[in-house]
Amino acid sequence: MPYRICFVCLGNICRSPMADVVMRRLVADAGLADRIQIGSAGTGSWHVGSGANPPAVAALHRRGYDGSAHQARQFGAADFADWDLIVGLDASNVADLRRLAPTKDDAATVALLRDFDPASPAGDRDVPDPYGGPEAEFDHALDLVEAACRGLLADLRSEVS
Ligand code: 4NP
């Protein structure tokens, strides 16, 4: 059984699709694609069925990732059963997920993405929402996502080996 990780933001069209694509690449490059399964979802329902936001796809493309295959979905209470680790992109995503969790054990599977980045400052560890913002905000979100996903993979190596 692979170790299953789901990234969750608000809309599942900007930040969590970026984390999904970045982590997928890191895991594949580490030769762990059969050991770690990755997905993403949003706490909100507005964009269910949509592709990733075009500026997010463009930011991914500038760094050599392909974000074109994404399809947005909403994270519901029943989804806790399907994942070992549920990673919120900001503190409000984490709070929403913990509120949604059917059990305390489910709530304990929720983590904040930038907590995995050893260089992340204490205090504000959100990946800021770039939706509707300029290109630079998408690039910045991707910087934070890449750094944190590298830390997450380092943590996971002991879990899956
Ligand atoms: P995301 O960005 O949570 O990074 O996917 C958002 C996308 C859409 C909305 C909010 C955030 N929205 O309100 O529609």
Side-chain angles (χ1 to χ4, degrees):
M1 184 87 162
Y3 187 83
R4 304 158 303 173
I5 306 167
C6 188
F7 295 100
V8 179
C9 62
L10 183 57
N12 191 217
I13 56 170
C14 300
R15 294 165 294 169
S16 61
M18 291 200 278
D20 184 327
V21 166
V22 166
M23 193 67 189
R24 214 174 273 274
R25 162 78 65 80
L26 287 172
V27 163
D29 288 352
L32 294 171
D34 55 340
R35 310 280 282 283
I36 301 175
Q37 184 183 319
I38 295 150
S40 71
T43 56
S45 63
W46 312 284
H47 301 285
V48 168
S50 301
N53 195 222
V57 177
L60 285 165
H61 188 72
R62 284 193 288 280
R63 293 192 198 178
Y65 301 101
D66 180 6
S68 65
H70 181 71
Q71 208 179 24
R73 48 185 297 275
Q74 184 177 22
F75 196 93
D79 292 310
F80 280 90
D82 295 334
W83 304 98
D84 299 299
L85 178 65
I86 299 156
V87 184
L89 274 282
D90 68 26
S92 71
N93 307 141
V94 167
D96 289 343
L97 286 163
R98 290 195 176 135
R99 248 194 315 274
L100 189 65
T103 69
K104 280 196 170 141
D105 283 352
D106 289 325
T109 64
V110 178
L112 178 63
L113 179 64
R114 292 188 68 210
D115 282 348
F116 294 101
D117 178 358
S120 166
D124 181 5
R125 290 189 162 180
D126 289 350
V127 176
D129 187 354
Y131 183 60
E135 190 176 282
E137 289 183 16
F138 285 84
D139 288 335
H140 178 58
L142 194 46
D143 288 339
L144 301 178
V145 163
E146 286 186 318
C149 284
R150 283 193 291 270
L152 174 56
L153 180 64
D155 274 22
L156 284 173
R157 280 181 186 277
S158 57
E159 191 89 31
V160 300
S161 60

